[in-house]
Amino acid sequence: FVTHWLVASLQVKDNECHCTFPDCSLHGGVTLTVQVNVNQRRLSERLVYSNPGREGTAARNFSCVIYDADFMNCSWAKGRAAPDDVQYFLYTRSKKRIERECPHYLKDSGTHVGCHLRDLSGLTSYGYFLVNGTSQETGIQFFDSLLLLKEIEQYNAPDNITVRCNESHCLIRWEQPRTRQPRSNMEFQYQLDIQRWSNFLLSPKIVVFGDSGNRYNFPKPGSKAKHTVKIRTADARKARWGAWSQPVEFGSEEPESSLVHVYILVVLGTLVCGLTLSCLFKRFVRTHRLFPPVPQIKDKLNDNLPVDNEMLWEKFTQETGKDDKEEVLTVEKVSEAPAKL
């Protein structure tokens, strides 16, 4: 166990002595030593307070967050060595030493692993939280924690965001968000997300601290530029940002022409051309497969060039007989001679 040392000096009254310590975390164990001076002699008594139960059965990963100024959620995880039938219970203690059990538990397979509180009126600057447990199988160690409530509060977005523009700049103003307890402006920081409608790239976020008077001067880039702004809040000491506000529009009502439309047209044109070429190519391949080319007869005597049959036949018929010599046969008629007597 972790040992805590608390020192207090008391005077004996009516033969009785008691001591009250402020709230502190005790789940790690504590050692109390009582020393008494009697007739120049010192007597000492040592008291050891330990966390009863099996090691590793206490709730772990305990955390709480306050939101919307009036609500709080706490959560924890089951101990690594905790038995299956373990059940946890959360208690809060106010400054007046009044203990209250969690009114609304969050469960996981029947085991309490969280708590939702809707009434924080009994809590002040610090809150003492105790999670103990029960089991039929073994003893369950407790877990306790002392939390500074302003450090666990998650702030809402600023209220009443307004924008007023002139020819040179736009003045963005907002109001401090509502919190559980009043806070000064110095305890806040804000993050502004200002984006131009026609801008292809996101603009960097702007951090403004509360001492600026909850205002920011934004240079106006042009009369036709339309913008949106949204703001979120955090504690000035730690950047635990809350939720973004709803975006507020300012600038011209007509969106400024930009290269975005040109890029879109180019992309669409490229897609249309690609689809057209793809369809034509598929149609050509299909036609080629259905009607393959007819093979032609090759002329082996003329460099394998096609032979024009009609021209060769005409040439052959015209030239036939020019070089051939005709043979003429003369036939004479001979009359038969008379017979001699």
Side-chain angles (χ1 to χ4, degrees), residues 12 85 194 215 283 294:
V12 178
D85 68 338
I194 304 175
R215 57 194 297 166
R283 186 174 180 182
V294 179

Side-chain angles (χ1 to χ4, degrees), residues 7 47 71 77 92 124 132 134 149 171 177-178 202 206 304:
V7 180
L47 304 175
F71 307 101
T92 60
T124 54
N132 59 20
T134 59
L149 298 187
L171 177 62
R178 188 174 68 90
L202 295 178
I206 304 166
N304 296 328

Side-chain angles (χ1 to χ4, degrees), residues 94-329:
S94 65
K95 188 176 182 180
K96 297 182 179 180
R97 318 292 293 184
I98 299 175
E99 291 187 356
R100 293 187 302 173
E101 185 183 354
C102 171
H104 305 284
Y105 283 107
L106 307 176
K107 300 179 181 180
D108 181 13
S109 302
T111 304
H112 297 162
V113 294
C115 174
H116 175 66
L117 292 94
R118 302 174 184 175
D119 182 13
L120 308 181
S121 58
L123 301 176
T124 54
S125 299
Y126 285 89
Y128 178 78
F129 299 83
L130 171 67
V131 182
N132 59 20
T134 59
S135 171
Q136 296 294 330
E137 181 179 331
T138 184
I140 305 299
Q141 292 183 329
F142 70 88
F143 176 87
D144 61 346
S145 180
L146 190 64
L147 300 178
L148 181 60
L149 298 187
K150 66 185 303 182
E151 291 185 352
I152 64 173
E153 183 172 3
Q154 192 171 58
Y155 298 132
N156 290 338
D159 295 326
N160 298 331
I161 301 175
T162 59
V163 184
R164 293 183 179 179
C165 298
N166 57 23
E167 295 299 326
S168 60
H169 68 277
C170 293
L171 177 62
I172 304 173
R173 304 190 67 174
W174 60 90
E175 292 182 5
Q176 177 181 310
R178 188 174 68 90
T179 56
R180 196 182 70 87
Q181 291 184 340
R183 301 275 188 267
S184 66
N185 288 334
M186 300 287 292
E187 298 183 69
F188 294 94
Q189 61 175 326
Y190 304 93
Q191 194 173 58
L192 280 66
D193 184 11
I194 304 175
Q195 300 296 332
R196 184 173 179 174
W197 274 34
S198 60
N199 195 359
F200 224 26
L201 301 176
L202 295 178
S203 301
K205 297 176 178 59
I206 304 166
V207 176
V208 178
F209 288 93
D211 56 359
S212 64
N214 298 343
R215 57 194 297 166
Y216 177 74
N217 276 318
F218 177 66
K220 191 175 180 182
S223 59
K224 293 184 179 181
K226 190 170 185 178
H227 291 73
T228 60
V229 57
K230 54 184 180 179
I231 309 176
R232 59 181 179 177
T233 318
D235 190 281
R237 290 172 293 273
K238 61 168 60 176
R240 186 174 182 176
W241 298 104
W244 288 104
S245 67
Q246 291 297 321
V248 176
E249 299 178 3
F250 63 95
S252 174
E253 294 295 332
E254 298 179 358
E256 187 182 16
S257 60
S258 65
L259 295 178
V260 177
H261 305 86
V262 178
Y263 294 151
I264 294 175
L265 292 176
V266 170
V267 172
L268 291 177
T270 304
L271 291 175
V272 171
C273 292
L275 292 174
T276 304
L277 292 175
S278 177
C279 293
L280 292 176
F281 179 76
K282 290 181 179 179
R283 186 174 180 182
F284 172 77
V285 171
R286 236 181 251 149
T287 306
H288 186 72
R289 289 177 179 175
L290 292 176
F291 303 100
V294 179
Q296 300 180 357
I297 301 175
K298 296 182 180 181
D299 186 3
K300 295 182 179 181
L301 299 178
N302 195 16
D303 293 334
N304 296 328
L305 296 175
V307 179
D308 192 338
N309 293 328
E310 183 178 354
M311 293 178 62
L312 289 177
W313 175 255
E314 291 179 355
K315 183 178 180 181
F316 177 76
T317 53
Q318 291 177 1
E319 292 181 356
T320 301
K322 289 184 180 181
D323 295 335
D324 296 343
K325 295 181 180 182
E326 297 181 356
E327 294 183 358
V328 179
L329 179 64

